[in-house]
């Protein structure tokens, strides 16, 4: 193999230490990638692939190479990260001009999905979490960090209960996870398959003693217990591992991560990932987009941190009446103060992403424009706070006392120019009057520019030639004379360059001036940078204050958003209690009512309690609105527990501890891969996880298997949910097995409801109203007709239906033998003989659809009459 150069040796050394990353190796103005990295990057980023040593005779030994200019590297890095790669940035860590031999290089930062801070790589409305998860005999723990904002929290869970951990992961949706090796495969599969999270296993990071040291050093405490990390060794391991990982990859000041929230459980409503997705809380299921989700309806926030906060409220509803009422009262304040609210919404528009800006300030990547953005944001705060003045609710009263950071605003305003350049290295950003030296150098530069003009004038006068003073990077300042008159020049002119129609000269005087000028320019730029970084450091020292104010601004913004939605979408303040009663009057589906523009949304009541109306069985034809009704009920509960007003005329909400949903397999086609097995796994999870205080939505479960199986399972699950000795949870149960309505008479606490539809001729009209009582029919064939299935097929289906019903092979499964069947009659019991005879006589092939319907109508009437 051909000899490798010292630089390539340096490259290979660094690459070896960062083998799990794509190494961006700084060479002059470029980042270069070599070998496999180059192959990957050229493929993923559409970069031209070249080779390093083109002179090597053997093409197989040539090292593939590609590169990106350093000034546009961020966009390329962002794309690689989004595709799940990790990128190590290797810089020249000494000045090439001063290096003896090879320039020293080192990795200054590793960028990964969970450690992105660049605004170009992040969605401003979504928090980007990194997490560390570990488990042991005493339980498990997960630590979450948001590097761009400094948020850090840890939750721990008792042994044997993985579901809470998985639910938290589902709510935080981390982009990246570091996990200890005790984590099971099922767990990592959840992270990678369900959450599309980049997972890395490590045990070294989780070594207990080491994590204790890391935590103590990070927070300057003697023991992790000082931070509230008591009672869980796993929590200590998770926090320590996460901090260590950040330290190893970021290699810079991370003092914006200065608070640890310890969540020992119980503060938020847990939502499992199925429920979270099928309720479309933050993303529509079909598209994966925010549009069409609950958050999309609620989000009228004006600031990025408000947007992130509201999203977290939606993902983590509350379970304490006190907390919920605090939010609701604040929303009510803003709801009632129309003028203040609209002015707040306007004022908040001027507030930028304070939380991420202060993060970048501490991190050391903020430029002077970021500082200006902070200044303008802070400047808007006093008027925001003043607008809250008339409001009295406890949460708003507390928000009124927010630190307006006037000193922060002033110091930036007084130091940084109004429209500073993007680069912090080229000067032009510090105001006059801030630094005497800056002012002096600027005056010098101004004078020298004047001096240059003076030289030009003087030389013109002296020589009588049409000369001018110019500048280029190679020769510096020069005197340029047209070729026609450049033969004779004064003695002190030194000829430097001959061009087609002019010649260029320098003089001693010009050189001296140039030295002062360029020296002054460099010094000025360096000095301005120093003033800037000094200011940035001073601001960084205020990180805690700025973060606190940012949190307050986010809260005001999120509350305003909820109030504005309440007004615009006609929501009402719910009554919250612990009665176990849900009493919703004229409830609506918050998203469907907005999305559906062609028809008015029909409101419906819902009443459930822990006693006589524990379980509602909802029947009705396909497309009647069963799923919509069940979801709106659950969404109203979730909204209320987020502290939001609800789409109803009135609502009394007895708190629930959890909401569970399962949508039957064949209804869940959007997920693309739902099978009966998945459906049953999820039903199992619900039956294990729910309590008497839960609200369960079972939407046509048991569809993915044969009729008998399906009906049997549906019935057994329903019995389990409703039985007080087993679950006794509030359950909304929709089914197309209208035979199951018989249960109403068999189990106390079960009530039948149906969504009414009317047949008119061959058509079916949906009334969208929920009414007591079960549906008499599935109307499946009518709906098929409505959907455009050819008339001949519909005719055939009707005949087949009649045959099946007559022969009894689709008869309802027998009620439990000990119980009375409550007088429910089946088709085969009544007038079966006559109906069968009529059918046998009928020539199906000659019937028109209308005649068929009329016939069916008659037959049905016969059945009912008897
Ligand atoms: P089902 O579950 O009974 O098959 P869906 O709940 O999916 O029916 O409802 C079908 C469609 O009917 C919805 O997409 C919606 O457009 C409309 N719909 C449902 N409920 C209402 C309502 N209360 N008012 C107006 N339109 C409704
Ligand atoms: Mg449905």
């Amino acid at each position: 193999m051909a000899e490798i150069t010292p630089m390539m040796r340096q490259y290979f050394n660094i690459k070896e230490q960062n083998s799990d990353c794509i190494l961006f190796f700084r060479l002059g103005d470029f980042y270069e990638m070599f070998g496999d990295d180059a192959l990957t990057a050229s493929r993923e980023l559409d970069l031209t692939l070249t080779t390093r040593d083109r002179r090597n005779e053997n093409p197989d030994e040539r090292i593939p190479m590609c590169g990106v200019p350093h000034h546009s590297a961020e966009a390329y890095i962002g794309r690689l990260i989004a595709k799940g790669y990790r990128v190590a940035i290797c810089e020249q860590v000494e000045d090439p001009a001063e290096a003896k031999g090879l320039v020293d290089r080192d990795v200054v930062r590793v960028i990964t999905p969970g450690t992105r801070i660049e605004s170009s790589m992040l969605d401003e409305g979504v928090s980007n979490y990194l997490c560390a998860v570990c488990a042991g005999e005493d339980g498990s723990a997960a630590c979450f960090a948001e590097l761009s904002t400094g948020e850090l929290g840890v939750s721990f869970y008792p042994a044997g209960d993985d579901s809470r951990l998985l639910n938290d992961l589902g709510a935080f949706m981390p982009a990246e996870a570091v996990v200890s090796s005790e984590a099971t495969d099922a767990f990592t599969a959840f992270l990678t398959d369900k959450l599309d999270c980049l997972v890395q296993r490590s045990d070294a990071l989780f070594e207990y003693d080491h994590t204790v040291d890391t935590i103590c050093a990070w927070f300057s405490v003697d023991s992790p217990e000082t931070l509230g990390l008591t009672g869980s060794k796993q929590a200590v391991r998770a926090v320590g591992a996460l901090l260590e990982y950040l330290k190893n990859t970021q290699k810079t000041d991370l003092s914006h991560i200065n608070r640890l929230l310890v969540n020992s459980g119980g503060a938020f409503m847990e939502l499992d990932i199925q429920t979270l997705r099928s309720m479309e809380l933050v993303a529509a299921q079909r598209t994966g987009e925010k549009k069409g989700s609950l958050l999309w309806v609620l989000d009228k926030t004006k600031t990025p941190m408000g947007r992130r906060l509201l999203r977290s409220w939606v993902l983590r509803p509350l379970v304490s009446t006190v907390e919920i009422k605090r939010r609701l009262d604040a929303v009510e304040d803003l709801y009632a103060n129309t003028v203040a609210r609209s002015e707040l919404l306007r004022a908040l528009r001027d507030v930028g992403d304070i939380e991420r800006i202060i993060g970048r300030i501490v991190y050391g990547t903020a430029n002077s424009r970021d500082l200006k953005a902070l200044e303008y944001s802070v400047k808007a705060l006093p008027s925001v706070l003043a607008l809250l003045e008339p409001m009295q609710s406890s949460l708003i009263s507390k928000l009124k006392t927010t630190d307006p950071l006037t000193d922060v605003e002033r110091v930036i305003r007084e130091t940084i120019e109004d429209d500073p350049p993007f680069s912090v290295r080229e000067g032009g950003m510090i105001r006059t009057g801030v630094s005497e030296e800056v002012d002096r150098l600027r005056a010098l530069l101004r004078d020298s520019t004047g001096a240059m003009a003076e030289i030009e004038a003087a030389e013109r006068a002296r020589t009588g030639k049409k000369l001018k003073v110019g500048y280029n990077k190679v020769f510096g300042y020069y005197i340029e004379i047209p070729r026609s008159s450049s033969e004779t020049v004064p003695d002190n002119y030194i000829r430097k360059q001959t061009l087609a129609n002019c010649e260029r000269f320098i003089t001693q005087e010009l050189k001296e001036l140039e030295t002062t000028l360029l020296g002054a320019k460099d010094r000025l730029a360096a000095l301005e940078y120093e003033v800037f970084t000094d200011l940035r450091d001073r601001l960084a020292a205020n990180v805690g204050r700025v973060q606190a104010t940012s949190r307050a601004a986010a809260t005001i913004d999120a509350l305003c958003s909820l109030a504005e939605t309440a007004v615009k979408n006609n929501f009402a303040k719910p009554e919250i209690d612990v009665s176990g009663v849900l009493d919703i009057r004229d409830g609506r589906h918050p998203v469907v009512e907005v999305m559906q523009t062609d028809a008015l949304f029909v409101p419906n009541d819902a009443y459930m309690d822990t006693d006589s109306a524990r379980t509602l069985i909802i029947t009705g034809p396909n497309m009647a609105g069963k799923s919509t009704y069940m979801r709106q009920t659950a969404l109203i509960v979730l909204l209320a527990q987020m502290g939001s007003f609800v789409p109803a005329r009135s609502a009394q909400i007895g708190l629930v501890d959890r909401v569970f949903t399962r949508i039957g397999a064949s209804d869940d086609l959007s997920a693309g891969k739902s099978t009966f097995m998945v459906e049953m796994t999820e039903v199992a999870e619900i039956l294990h996880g729910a309590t008497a205080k839960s609200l369960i939505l079972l939407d046509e479960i048991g569809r993915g298997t044969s009729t008998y199986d399906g009906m049997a399972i549906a019935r057994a699950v329903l019995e389990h949910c409703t039985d007080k000795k087993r679950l006794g949870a509030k359950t909304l149960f929709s089914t197309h097995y209208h035979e199951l309505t018989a249960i109403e008479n068999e189990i106390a606490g079960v009530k039948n409801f149906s969504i009414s539809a009317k047949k008119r001729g061959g058509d079916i009209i949906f009334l969208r109203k929920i009414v007591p009582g079960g549906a008499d029919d599935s109307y499946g064939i009518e709906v098929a007709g409505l959907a455009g299935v050819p008339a001949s097929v519909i005719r055939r289906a009707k005949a087949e239906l009649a045959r099946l019903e007559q022969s009894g092979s689709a008869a309802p499964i027998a009620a439990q033998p000990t119980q009375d069947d409550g007088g429910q009659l089946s088709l085969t019991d009544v007038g079966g003989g006559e109906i069968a005879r009529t059918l046998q006589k009928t020539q199906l092939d000659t019937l028109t659809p209308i005649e068929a319907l009329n016939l069916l109508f008659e037959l049905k009437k016969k059945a009912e009459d008897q």
Side-chain angles (χ1 to χ4, degrees):
M1 185 171 158
E3 188 117 322
I4 64 168
T5 62
M7 196 195 71
M8 284 314 286
R9 195 166 309 126
Q10 181 188 43
Y11 171 84
F12 285 121
N13 279 338
I14 297 173
K15 175 67 199 174
E16 199 183 316
Q17 291 156 29
N18 295 277
S19 53
D20 54 352
C21 302
I22 292 183
L23 185 63
F24 270 49
F25 191 72
R26 183 71 178 265
L27 272 178
D29 284 339
F30 277 78
Y31 288 111
E32 300 289 0
M33 285 149 276
F34 301 106
D36 286 346
D37 284 359
L39 298 177
T40 310
S42 69
R43 187 181 64 237
E44 299 284 11
L45 302 174
D46 273 330
L47 298 173
T48 315
L49 201 60
T50 60
T51 56
R52 171 77 191 150
D53 38 4
R54 244 160 298 175
R55 270 163 308 176
N56 191 325
E57 316 240 302
N58 183 350
D60 291 344
E61 286 180 6
R62 291 179 193 159
I63 304 169
M65 162 176 137
C66 66
V68 299
H70 104 274
H71 60 81
S72 59
E74 190 175 303
Y76 290 106
I77 297 169
R79 279 164 62 193
L80 286 174
I81 304 293
K83 288 171 185 244
Y85 295 98
R86 317 167 84 241
V87 175
I89 309 295
C90 176
E91 293 289 356
Q92 298 170 169
V93 290
E94 66 180 337
D95 188 341
E98 283 163 25
K100 295 189 193 71
L102 192 60
V103 189
D104 214 6
R105 289 187 176 81
D106 204 356
V107 169
V108 296
R109 178 177 166 210
V110 178
I111 309 179
T112 64
T115 59
R116 287 172 283 187
I117 51 159
E118 289 68 17
S119 37
S120 70
M121 297 185 201
L122 297 174
D123 180 340
E124 63 166 27
V126 181
S127 300
N128 185 55
Y129 291 105
L130 166 72
C131 77
V133 187
C134 58
E137 277 169 12
D138 58 329
S140 55
C143 177
F144 297 92
E146 221 285 359
L147 184 59
S148 73
T149 63
E151 182 186 344
L152 181 73
V154 66
S155 301
F156 50 94
Y157 318 93
D161 182 9
D162 274 355
S163 64
R164 270 191 55 210
L165 170 58
L166 295 183
N167 294 342
D168 271 355
L169 289 169
F172 281 97
M173 303 177 201
E176 183 182 2
V178 206
V179 300
S180 74
S181 64
E182 310 98 18
T184 59
D185 289 344
F187 171 81
T188 32
F190 178 84
L191 283 169
T192 48
D193 302 348
K194 294 249 175 179
L195 299 178
D196 204 12
C197 171
L198 183 70
V199 176
Q200 208 188 4
R201 285 182 181 265
S202 160
D203 277 329
L205 284 173
F206 289 91
E207 204 269 308
Y208 181 71
D209 290 338
H210 188 64
T211 55
V212 171
D213 294 345
T214 307
I215 293 172
C216 291
W218 191 288
F219 292 101
S220 310
V221 292
D222 294 334
S223 132
E225 295 188 358
T226 321
L227 302 165
L229 283 172
T230 49
S232 170
K233 198 172 155 183
Q234 301 310 325
V236 172
R237 289 177 74 209
V239 174
L242 188 127
L243 295 176
E244 177 74 18
Y245 181 78
L246 285 177
K247 220 168 61 181
N248 293 346
T249 53
Q250 304 310 298
K251 307 168 197 278
T252 182
D253 185 359
L254 296 174
S255 57
H256 63 311
I257 303 181
N258 47 28
R259 257 174 30 128
L260 174 67
L261 295 175
V262 181
N263 172 23
S264 50
F268 303 104
M269 186 198 291
E270 269 180 75
L271 293 168
D272 60 87
I273 194 151
Q274 269 68 252
T275 302
L276 197 150
R277 290 197 174 154
S278 69
M279 295 305 293
E280 309 194 293
L281 293 186
V282 298
Q285 232 181 346
R286 208 166 41 80
T287 58
E289 302 286 321
K290 179 175 169 187
K291 181 164 188 203
S293 69
L294 180 66
L295 179 60
W296 170 74
V297 170
L298 297 180
D299 189 356
K300 299 195 165 39
T301 57
K302 300 294 172 203
T303 71
M305 60 268 182
R307 204 156 305 143
R308 293 192 293 272
L309 182 67
L310 183 65
R311 189 170 187 273
S312 80
W313 286 1
V314 169
L315 288 169
R316 309 179 86 192
L318 302 168
V319 286
S320 131
T321 31
V322 179
E323 288 296 310
I324 296 170
K325 283 184 178 163
R326 247 163 78 84
R327 260 190 218 164
L328 278 173
D329 290 345
V331 174
E332 186 175 33
D333 257 347
L334 291 157
Y335 177 94
N337 282 276
T338 309
V339 177
R341 187 183 66 250
S342 60
E343 281 179 28
L344 270 168
L345 289 168
R346 197 167 319 131
L348 283 165
R349 272 206 298 247
D350 296 331
V351 179
D353 201 340
I354 301 179
E355 198 182 22
R356 280 188 173 159
I357 295 173
I358 191 67
R360 288 201 291 277
I361 288 175
V362 172
Y363 200 91
T365 53
N367 63 19
S368 46
R369 291 186 184 177
D370 290 322
L371 267 50
K372 274 320 235 196
L374 178 60
E375 174 200 326
Y376 298 147
S377 301
V378 173
K379 195 171 147 206
L381 289 177
S383 52
V384 168
L385 299 177
L387 286 165
L388 300 178
E389 219 25 70
M391 298 171 217
Q392 298 301 332
S393 66
S394 68
L395 183 50
I396 296 211
S397 299
K398 181 155 165 270
L399 290 167
K400 279 193 262 188
T401 64
T402 302
D403 175 355
L405 302 172
T406 8
D407 53 329
V408 168
E409 188 267 337
R410 193 180 55 239
V411 66
I412 305 175
R413 172 165 44 80
E414 288 175 352
T415 312
I416 307 287
E417 287 281 2
D418 275 344
D419 206 356
F422 185 77
S423 166
V424 291
R425 297 279 186 177
E426 283 157 29
M429 56 188 170
I430 305 299
R431 278 196 201 281
T432 309
V434 173
S435 149
E436 272 181 29
E437 184 62 8
V438 166
D439 293 350
R440 195 187 68 76
L441 287 168
R442 284 202 183 132
L444 185 73
L445 279 170
R446 257 196 315 277
D447 292 352
S448 315
T449 320
M452 207 60 81
E454 271 170 32
I455 291 178
E456 190 176 87
E459 292 299 318
R460 275 188 184 176
R462 179 153 81 106
T463 60
K465 295 181 195 293
K466 272 196 189 157
L467 58 77
K468 61 180 188 206
V469 172
Y471 175 83
N472 76 18
K473 276 196 177 148
V474 184
F475 301 116
Y477 287 93
Y478 53 76
I479 296 169
E480 187 176 286
I481 307 179
R483 280 287 281 273
S484 53
S485 58
S486 64
E487 295 271 295
T488 54
V489 293
D491 287 348
N492 64 335
Y493 278 32
I494 306 159
R495 184 172 273 108
K496 269 286 171 190
Q497 195 184 18
T498 306
L499 300 170
N501 41 21
C502 65
E503 283 198 282
R504 289 173 177 174
F505 303 87
I506 56 167
T507 67
Q508 190 58 30
E509 188 191 13
L510 209 51
K511 269 288 137 202
E512 275 163 21
L513 198 60
E514 178 185 312
T515 314
T516 339
L517 214 59
L518 294 186
K521 249 189 187 153
D522 284 353
R523 248 181 321 139
L524 180 61
L527 195 63
E528 286 203 43
Y529 181 69
E530 215 178 285
V531 175
F532 167 76
T533 49
D534 176 59
L535 172 63
R536 195 168 64 187
D537 291 347
R538 273 187 289 149
L539 294 171
N542 286 289
V543 55
R545 284 176 62 210
V546 178
Q547 284 172 330
T549 295
S550 170
R551 279 194 295 274
T555 310
I556 296 169
D557 192 20
L559 291 169
C560 264
S561 174
L562 290 180
E564 181 72 3
T565 305
V567 173
K568 287 270 152 68
N569 296 20
N570 194 21
F571 285 10
K573 187 183 183 192
E575 294 289 331
I576 305 289
D577 57 37
V578 290
S579 62
V581 171
L582 294 184
D583 187 358
I584 299 167
R585 305 286 167 87
D586 281 344
R588 287 133 33 215
H589 191 298
V591 183
V592 175
E593 73 168 346
V594 177
M595 294 287 274
Q596 178 171 288
T597 46
D598 54 346
L600 277 182
F601 194 89
V602 179
N604 272 308
D605 295 348
Y607 180 86
M608 299 180 86
D609 58 26
T610 51
D611 199 29
S612 62
R614 220 162 38 241
T615 297
L616 310 187
I617 298 182
I618 298 152
T619 42
N622 234 323
M623 286 303 285
K626 301 183 293 299
S627 302
T628 308
Y629 176 74
M630 303 211 308
R631 285 164 194 232
Q632 86 188 28
T633 307
L635 283 172
I636 286 171
V637 171
L638 290 171
L639 275 166
Q641 295 196 213
M642 282 165 207
S644 167
F645 283 22
V646 299
R649 188 160 47 81
S650 74
Q652 179 195 350
I653 307 292
L655 288 198
V656 306
D657 63 351
R658 300 271 302 263
V659 171
F660 291 94
T661 45
R662 173 60 229 186
I663 314 292
S666 55
D667 249 20
D668 196 14
L669 289 179
S670 54
K673 53 186 171 190
S674 200
T675 64
F676 183 64
M677 181 65 191
V678 174
E679 175 181 335
M680 286 301 120
T681 317
E682 291 172 12
V683 167
E685 279 163 16
I686 295 177
L687 299 187
H688 285 130
T691 74
K693 293 204 178 101
S694 307
L695 173 65
I696 304 177
L697 268 56
L698 295 171
D699 194 350
E700 311 219 18
I701 60 158
R703 276 193 128 172
T705 182
S706 76
T707 310
Y708 278 154
D709 265 11
M711 217 187 301
I713 291 171
R715 181 179 176 113
V717 169
L718 175 61
E719 283 173 4
H720 183 97
C721 290
T722 197
D723 185 350
K724 276 195 165 174
K725 286 196 217 67
R726 290 184 277 178
L727 269 184
K730 276 194 271 301
T731 309
L732 285 162
F733 190 97
S734 79
T735 181
H736 61 295
Y737 298 125
H738 57 98
E739 296 85 347
L740 291 183
T741 52
I743 300 178
E744 180 181 54
N745 300 312
E746 295 164 16
I747 304 176
V750 177
K751 290 234 181 316
N752 281 332
F753 281 91
S754 60
I755 305 204
S756 46
K758 262 210 298 227
K759 287 186 198 176
R760 185 174 292 160
D763 267 356
I764 172 166
I765 297 168
F766 297 120
L767 301 176
R768 310 280 182 220
K769 262 298 179 204
I770 187 127
V771 292
D776 45 357
D777 192 337
S778 296
Y779 299 84
I781 298 178
E782 283 78 6
V783 176
L786 200 66
V789 173
S792 58
V793 176
I794 298 293
R795 275 202 302 280
R796 178 76 191 100
K798 283 182 176 161
E800 183 62 13
L801 173 67
R803 191 186 65 75
L804 284 171
E805 286 182 338
Q806 190 217 353
S807 71
S809 57
I813 46 171
Q816 288 164 2
T818 51
Q819 283 167 323
D820 181 15
D821 73 1
Q824 285 269 318
L825 296 172
S826 103
L827 243 189
T828 43
D829 300 333
V830 288
E834 201 195 332
I835 293 172
R837 274 192 301 281
T838 317
L839 283 170
Q840 268 155 10
K841 278 189 286 178
T842 310
Q843 289 271 304
L844 280 183
D845 293 344
T846 62
L847 282 185
T848 66
I850 294 290
E851 285 168 358
L853 253 185
N854 286 337
L855 176 67
L856 199 61
F857 194 73
E858 261 171 43
L859 293 177
K860 189 147 189 291
K861 210 157 165 330
K862 266 186 199 148
E864 280 166 359
D865 287 347
Q866 298 195 12

